[in-house]
Amino acid sequence: MYPQNNMSFMPEEDLLYTILADMKRTVREYTTATTESNCPSVRQLFTDLTNDTLRLQGDLYRLMSQNNMYSTPSKALRIDLDKQIQEARKTQQECQQFIQQKSFAAGGYGQPMHQQSQSSHQHNPYYM
């Protein structure tokens, strides 16, 4: 399809960067589809697609970084990360309390919500 003299239609680095950017966009689209899905099986499908695409994106990023095709962002201070995590957990807890209050008021009688274990992120290789 392309000439055999190692010339492609665009430099490999540009092609990989384009693919990486498309994977980021795809993850956003899958995440939106997941959050808007009403059917549990469709929601699970988009959750699986999101996770698979995140793994591929992470693999491609590492490959590009190892080959000096993508500069790594500056390292974040642990205290800043901890602060963001704490704020996200507080927001999540407030949302869960709000939902439980509204469920109780609507006749759901405050059935416990599914809570994700805080330790679940410890086994995720992409979690910092």
Side-chain angles (χ1 to χ4, degrees), residues 110-127:
Q111 296 176 357
M113 301 288 292
H114 171 69
Q115 293 182 354
Q116 184 179 15
S117 168
Q118 292 178 3
S119 65
S120 67
H121 295 296
Q122 292 172 352
H123 302 301
N124 185 343
Y126 301 109
Y127 182 74

Side-chain angles (χ1 to χ4, degrees), residues 65-127:
S65 181
Q66 290 168 353
N67 289 290
N68 297 319
M69 294 179 174
Y70 196 99
S71 59
T72 57
S74 62
K75 294 190 178 201
L77 296 175
R78 184 70 217 181
I79 193 166
D80 292 337
L81 290 174
D82 289 341
K83 182 179 177 184
Q84 290 294 318
I85 291 168
Q86 184 179 14
E87 288 176 12
R89 286 184 179 150
K90 180 182 176 194
T91 301
Q92 181 182 29
Q93 183 179 24
E94 289 170 352
C95 288
Q96 288 173 343
Q97 289 173 349
F98 176 79
I99 291 169
Q100 287 176 347
Q101 288 171 354
K102 295 302 178 183
S103 294
F104 182 78
Y109 302 105
Q111 296 176 357
M113 301 288 292
H114 171 69
Q115 293 182 354
Q116 184 179 15
S117 168
Q118 292 178 3
S119 65
S120 67
H121 295 296
Q122 292 172 352
H123 302 301
N124 185 343
Y126 301 109
Y127 182 74

Side-chain angles (χ1 to χ4, degrees), residues 15-79:
L15 180 60
L16 293 175
Y17 187 82
T18 300
I19 293 169
L20 185 68
D22 194 47
M23 286 181 154
K24 291 177 186 179
R25 181 196 56 78
T26 301
V27 165
R28 284 191 304 270
E29 297 296 329
Y30 285 158
T31 302
T32 299
T34 302
T35 60
E36 294 181 1
S37 296
N38 188 31
C39 173
S41 61
V42 171
R43 184 178 181 91
Q44 186 61 52
L45 172 70
F46 281 115
T47 298
D48 294 343
L49 287 169
T50 301
N51 291 334
D52 290 344
T53 306
L54 282 171
R55 277 188 285 281
L56 285 170
Q57 184 273 333
D59 292 344
L60 180 57
Y61 167 78
R62 271 191 301 288
L63 173 77
M64 291 176 69
S65 181
Q66 290 168 353
N67 289 290
N68 297 319
M69 294 179 174
Y70 196 99
S71 59
T72 57
S74 62
K75 294 190 178 201
L77 296 175
R78 184 70 217 181
I79 193 166

Side-chain angles (χ1 to χ4, degrees), residues 1-13 15:
M1 181 168 169
Y2 295 106
Q4 294 297 324
N5 60 2
N6 289 335
M7 295 198 56
S8 61
F9 73 100
M10 68 188 319
E12 186 176 81
E13 182 176 347
L15 180 60

